[in-house]
Amino acid sequence: MNFDLVIQGPLNNISLEYVDKVSNQFNKVIISHWSENDISLLDIIESENVEIYDQRTPDLNDTVGVSKDSTFFYSISSTFLGLQKCTSEYVIKMRSDEYYENFDILKEKIVKHKDRFVFGNIFAKPWSHSSYHIGDHVFGSTRKLLLSAYNILYNLYYTRDLDVCDNMWSVQGVKPYDTAESILALSFLKAKSQHSNVG
């Protein structure tokens, strides 16, 4: 199987109750959560291909360019940790407060369009609302591109230098304080550009 699934965010029964039901659709299911969470919630999982990783909830005071009342950097951190544990060619990422039963259509689109960011479009917005506003609840692509995109994002907000943040996004016309969805989309485009320029 060429797919891993990353479930990111605080441990939540909404997703955990479905892990055993969907685990056979993936090489590995990776749960990336916070060490402060109640790990007894994990007791319902029986599948052998589930890996669980945790880290302390990030202190937003250590970041630059992220709104302190936003959960965006939390999502970046837990997704980035999960992606680092993936080994399959393709990855699907979902939030821990949601569940999905069948990933076949998403997988088909990801394999067909290997260099694209494929997402559930229910939360996408028109560019007139916010440019590059993708849906970030469930999405997928190659592990290589997603890991590169999240490496860009993670390091961007630890630069402690607002000028660096501004320069990172100004070329594309997206500001550091734009919507999280737009910034995620742009980080993917930057990662894709970097990989296409290698060699």
Side-chain angles (χ1 to χ4, degrees):
M1 230 175 296
N2 288 325
F3 278 86
D4 289 338
L5 174 67
V6 171
I7 302 174
Q8 61 82 208
L11 293 178
N12 192 314
N13 276 329
I14 291 175
S15 58
L16 293 177
E17 289 177 358
Y18 281 84
V19 167
D20 287 338
K21 296 174 185 174
V22 302
S23 64
N24 64 345
Q25 298 179 47
F26 297 93
N27 181 42
K28 291 194 298 190
V29 175
I30 295 163
I31 298 173
S32 176
H33 72 96
W34 309 122
S35 54
E36 299 90 344
N37 294 161
D38 177 6
I39 60 170
S40 69
L41 295 173
L42 296 166
D43 292 344
I44 62 173
I45 297 175
E46 297 180 354
S47 300
E48 294 183 0
N49 65 331
V50 177
E51 298 180 6
I52 299 161
Y53 301 95
D54 67 82
Q55 62 183 309
R56 291 199 60 81
T57 306
D59 183 350
L60 295 186
N61 291 319
D62 292 335
T63 63
V64 169
V66 177
S67 173
K68 304 308 182 199
D69 60 355
S70 167
T71 60
F72 185 35
F73 192 74
Y74 297 145
S75 174
I76 292 170
S77 295
S78 59
T79 302
F80 190 40
L81 174 63
L83 289 170
Q84 292 175 77
K85 305 301 181 179
C86 291
T87 55
S88 294
E89 182 178 1
Y90 304 103
V91 178
I92 292 175
K93 171 267 179 193
M94 61 175 275
R95 291 170 28 153
S96 62
D97 60 349
E98 298 177 347
Y99 75 91
Y100 305 91
E101 296 184 40
N102 189 316
F103 294 86
D104 288 347
I105 294 175
L106 194 58
K107 285 180 173 182
E108 288 172 16
K109 298 292 186 186
I110 292 168
V111 171
K112 183 177 180 180
H113 306 286
K114 297 177 191 244
D115 62 343
R116 296 186 185 179
F117 185 93
V118 180
F119 58 91
N121 63 5
I122 187 172
F123 297 107
K125 305 280 188 199
W127 277 36
S128 58
H129 173 272
S130 178
S131 59
Y132 299 95
H133 194 299
I134 48 84
D136 66 346
H137 287 231
V138 58
F139 59 79
S141 187
T142 64
R143 176 178 55 87
K144 176 178 70 175
L145 285 175
L146 289 176
L147 192 55
S148 293
Y150 272 85
N151 184 61
I152 290 169
L153 282 171
Y154 190 82
N155 288 303
L156 169 66
Y157 293 116
Y158 271 136
T159 64
R160 299 179 178 275
D161 186 339
L162 281 176
D163 290 335
V164 172
C165 289
D166 288 337
N167 291 336
M168 284 283 288
W169 310 115
S170 62
V171 153
Q172 297 290 341
V174 177
K175 299 177 178 61
Y177 296 101
D178 207 341
T179 65
E181 294 86 354
S182 298
I183 294 173
L184 171 57
L186 185 55
S187 72
F188 182 85
L189 291 175
K190 285 186 175 291
K192 183 176 171 179
S193 174
Q194 290 173 357
H195 282 279
S196 67
N197 290 331
V198 173

